Amino acid sequence: MTEYGVELWTLAEAVEAAVRGVGAELAAGRSTEPTPERTAEEAMARFAELDGPAAAELRERLSALRPQAGWVPEELDGVPAEGEWWVCDATDGAVQYLLGQPHWAVTATLVRDGAAVLAVVHAPELFGAGRTYRAVLGGGAQLDGRPIAPLERELAATVAATSQPPLVAADPVALRRAGESLSAMVGAVLAVRNLGPTALQVAQVGSGHLALFWEYGQDAGNLLPGALIASEAGAAVTDAAGAAWTADSDSFLVAAPGLHADAVGVLRVVR
């Protein structure tokens, strides 16, 4: 491993501690019952009350660890092509969080020159005690400190997952492709599910808890952390056509290596 890689692994341990701290505070401050808000405006206001302080704390902690890195606002579409930047989400999976479900996470990704070089995805309430993924570019990926790898099965025996970018309704092409791809994939696999935050689901392909994940539309902020973790674990990460994926790509596919070509074939019907 290069000197930069060793530096990143040391940084990853500190980032994990920061992310875990924010996650613990978020988990302690909520009920497992759904919040009572009835309108979208009420739900967004409630979420802002919770997420705002958590995001501020995460930014403070990470900026102290890597003061030379900038901070990408969540509303920014894409990531800068040059320099080091933090791409983070203090409450990834806001809908599940507000409904009292365990499928939410705190994510932190360090991006260098447009590509992720370090990622931590921490799900504080998953499987009771919580699970934590982390990876650095060229250094492998871990789940709770143990190396991970995708799990190979035949496509018909797998569980696939999918999601949509937050603003997919404003992208008619991505919206149509999402529907077409779902119809195609449902007939090819054992089951299709949406199990919460995109970053967490993509990371779960890296550990074999899911066989593949696909999505249409640009969604760099949500895809970058899981993509690095899955790639470093040994999964194939591309766009839906099988070409190299970047933060600017308009589709995404991650799968165990032995399943990837089959998944691309299934999605080939999408126009």
Side-chain angles (χ1 to χ4, degrees):
M1 187 183 300
T2 66
E3 183 177 344
Y4 184 65
V6 173
E7 176 189 0
L8 286 178
W9 263 125
T10 301
L11 178 62
E13 295 177 357
V15 172
E16 179 177 335
V19 166
R20 281 178 169 273
V22 172
E25 292 181 12
L26 282 164
R30 73 154 192 158
S31 169
T32 55
E33 297 299 319
T35 57
E37 291 76 23
R38 294 178 177 270
T39 68
E41 292 76 12
E42 291 174 348
M44 291 301 295
R46 176 57 177 157
F47 174 69
E49 290 179 10
L50 299 165
D51 182 70
E57 181 179 351
L58 185 60
R59 179 171 185 170
E60 180 180 353
R61 290 185 182 219
L62 296 182
S63 295
L65 293 174
R66 196 78 168 181
Q68 67 268 39
W71 194 266
V72 176
E74 287 188 41
E75 62 271 15
L76 183 67
D77 185 15
V79 296
E82 297 181 352
E84 282 194 349
W85 299 83
W86 288 111
V87 179
C88 302
D89 194 338
T91 320
D92 190 15
V95 172
Q96 292 89 312
Y97 183 89
L98 293 176
L99 289 175
Q101 298 180 6
H103 299 281
W104 59 278
V106 183
T107 72
T109 309
L110 183 65
V111 174
R112 186 185 193 195
D113 297 338
V117 296
L118 179 157
V120 175
V121 175
H122 173 57
E125 297 180 321
L126 199 62
F127 301 121
R131 310 300 295 271
T132 305
Y133 291 88
R134 68 180 180 188
V136 300
L137 184 63
Q142 299 176 348
L143 172 58
D144 296 334
R146 300 185 301 275
I148 55 174
L151 183 62
E152 300 284 1
R153 290 193 175 100
E154 65 176 30
L155 191 64
T158 64
V159 174
T162 189
S163 188
Q164 298 80 41
L167 301 178
V168 69
D171 184 345
V173 174
L175 195 61
R176 172 180 55 76
R177 288 174 170 173
E180 291 177 357
S181 65
L182 179 60
S183 296
M185 195 63 74
V186 163
V189 300
L190 185 64
V192 175
R193 298 289 185 263
N194 185 335
L195 299 175
T198 295
L200 180 58
Q201 294 185 91
V202 175
Q204 287 178 313
V205 176
S207 60
H209 290 87
L210 290 170
L212 66 95
F213 175 96
W214 87 95
E215 183 179 276
Y216 285 92
Q218 290 190 336
D219 197 15
N222 287 318
L223 289 168
L224 279 166
L228 178 63
I229 291 166
S231 176
E232 287 296 324
V237 176
T238 66
D239 68 8
W245 180 81
T246 71
D248 296 324
S249 297
D250 63 0
S251 64
F252 178 85
L253 171 65
V254 58
L259 294 173
H260 183 261
D262 289 340
V264 170
V266 171
L267 296 176
R268 194 167 288 134
V269 302
V270 177
R271 296 173 285 114

